[in-house]
Amino acid sequence: MFSDLRALVPKLPGLLFLLLLGLAGALSARTLGLPIPFLLGSLVFVATYAIVTFARTGSRPWYPKPLRTTFIAVIGVLIGSTFKADMAGELPRIWITILAMVPFVFAAHAIGYGIFRHIGRYDPVTATYAAMPGGLIEAVSLGEKAGGDVETLSIQHFLRIVIVVVTIPTLFYLWTGEAVGSAAGQHLNAAPVEVTDWLLIATLALVGGVAGIKLRLPAGHMIGPLALTATLQATGVVNISGPAILLNGAQLVVGVGLGATFARTTLRHLLSCLGLGILVVTVLLGLGFGIATLLAPFSPMPFEAVLISFAPGGVTEMGLIALSLGVSPVLVAAHHLFRISFTVTVISILARRATPQ
């Protein structure tokens, strides 16, 4: 244990540099009035550094997974804290958009496969798993077992999430003409934040994160804290006031982590994957826009929330965007949890049937 700690110490300056670089990007983005600046600004600055560093030295920035996981659990708590008792009555009313997620997943996968197979010239296995509209870790794992290109799968799914994270807030900005999220000074709660709130958030993040992982929930390190907090909040057991500085800090940590991942590839391969990723996401967002336009009048969720619910991003990132935009983050997260769970279940069944016994 002590040897592990000693090995960790020399890496800390590099980690501190990444966080400071991410903070510089966040503050720059906020100065420019960009949407969710602590997420996007840190992502862009660190991704640029990671790509340049890898191209020149072949080394990748060290970024500890537990740090990102910890703050993802905190994001789960912050999202769960927005769940109020009166929202429980709305849950049965979202069945129509939840059911619509089934044809959306099949259509999204078919579209993605067509683009990756016929335009990107991916082999059939890589195209199949690259087109999964959810489940980054599961897609890469299943694709590797099936003989797909692991590096391409990792990059393509990562870019899918990043492109959505960048696109959705930008579309809202262009649509409304106003900055959104923390760029607009939005706070989770106007009530004063007490020391007990910090301790309660930490406790719920720890307990919920462990429970989510033990129960093997999809994105359990986030869904566990989210479900636990939402339940306690809705029943009146707790009343959390989420500090805005914690939301900004969580965005920063997640953004830096996403940016550091860009070091996995060469610039040429990245640009090739980026072009295909932009094409796939553009088509899927168009599909999601059509569904949101059709179903929003029959849903308790506003059009913006339905649109975000059908955006093919990660649970954490989409929940964070919904939280920043203030549009039904719990209900949005429920849709993404269903999308990812359904996608992984269907692909897993198909993979088992395709594997010789």
Side-chain angles (χ1 to χ4, degrees), residues 183-328:
Q186 184 174 8
H187 294 264
L188 289 173
N189 198 311
V193 181
E194 306 290 343
V195 175
T196 52
D197 289 314
W198 289 91
L199 295 175
L200 186 55
I201 290 171
T203 301
L204 291 172
L206 176 61
V207 175
V210 172
I213 293 172
K214 292 291 185 181
L215 294 173
R216 297 185 178 182
L217 299 175
H221 46 291
M222 174 187 170
I223 297 302
L226 190 160
L228 176 61
T229 305
T231 301
L232 296 178
Q233 188 89 357
T235 55
V237 176
V238 300
N239 183 23
I240 299 174
S241 175
I245 190 173
L246 186 56
L247 175 60
N248 290 339
Q251 292 184 63
L252 175 66
V253 170
V254 172
V256 171
L258 289 174
T261 311
F262 271 101
R264 292 178 178 176
T265 184
T266 63
L267 182 59
R268 182 176 182 179
H269 190 198
L270 179 64
L271 291 176
S272 174
C273 292
L274 180 62
L276 292 171
I278 290 175
L279 178 58
V280 170
V281 169
T282 299
V283 175
L284 296 191
L285 285 179
L287 180 61
F289 183 88
I291 293 174
T293 302
L294 180 65
L295 298 183
F298 307 99
S299 171
M301 303 164 62
F303 171 83
E304 296 84 356
V306 179
L307 177 59
I308 295 175
S309 296
F310 283 86
V315 177
T316 301
E317 292 77 19
M318 292 300 95
L320 186 56
I321 288 176
L323 185 63
S324 298
L325 297 175
V327 286
S328 310

Side-chain angles (χ1 to χ4, degrees), residues 69-196:
T69 301
T70 298
F71 276 87
I72 286 177
V74 170
I75 291 171
V77 174
L78 296 180
I79 293 176
S81 70
T82 66
F83 192 78
K84 308 301 180 185
D86 57 350
M87 292 178 64
E90 296 182 352
L91 289 176
R93 297 174 58 199
I94 66 173
W95 65 268
I96 187 169
T97 47
I98 289 290
L99 286 182
M101 195 65 71
V102 174
F104 173 80
V105 165
F106 284 112
H109 189 266
I111 292 169
Y113 178 85
I115 291 174
F116 290 129
R117 181 77 180 102
H118 301 294
I119 299 179
R121 302 295 181 184
Y122 289 178
D123 63 85
V125 173
T126 301
T128 295
Y129 291 95
M132 282 178 60
L136 186 155
I137 295 175
E138 293 83 359
V140 174
S141 177
L142 290 170
E144 181 179 17
K145 292 179 181 178
D149 185 329
V150 177
E151 181 183 6
T152 297
L153 289 173
S154 300
I155 296 169
Q156 206 64 73
H157 278 283
F158 174 71
L159 284 175
R160 169 178 57 84
I161 294 172
V162 170
I163 293 169
V164 173
V165 166
V166 172
T167 302
I168 291 295
T170 302
L171 288 177
F172 274 85
Y173 176 72
L174 295 175
W175 191 353
T176 64
E178 299 178 358
V180 294
S182 55
Q186 184 174 8
H187 294 264
L188 289 173
N189 198 311
V193 181
E194 306 290 343
V195 175
T196 52

Side-chain angles (χ1 to χ4, degrees), residues 25-42 44-45 166 169-170 173-174 178-185 251:
L27 295 178
S28 298
R30 187 169 67 174
T31 300
L32 293 173
L34 299 180
I36 52 172
F38 282 84
L39 179 66
L40 299 186
S42 60
V44 171
F45 269 47
V166 172
T170 302
Y173 176 72
L174 295 175
E178 299 178 358
V180 294
S182 55
Q251 292 184 63

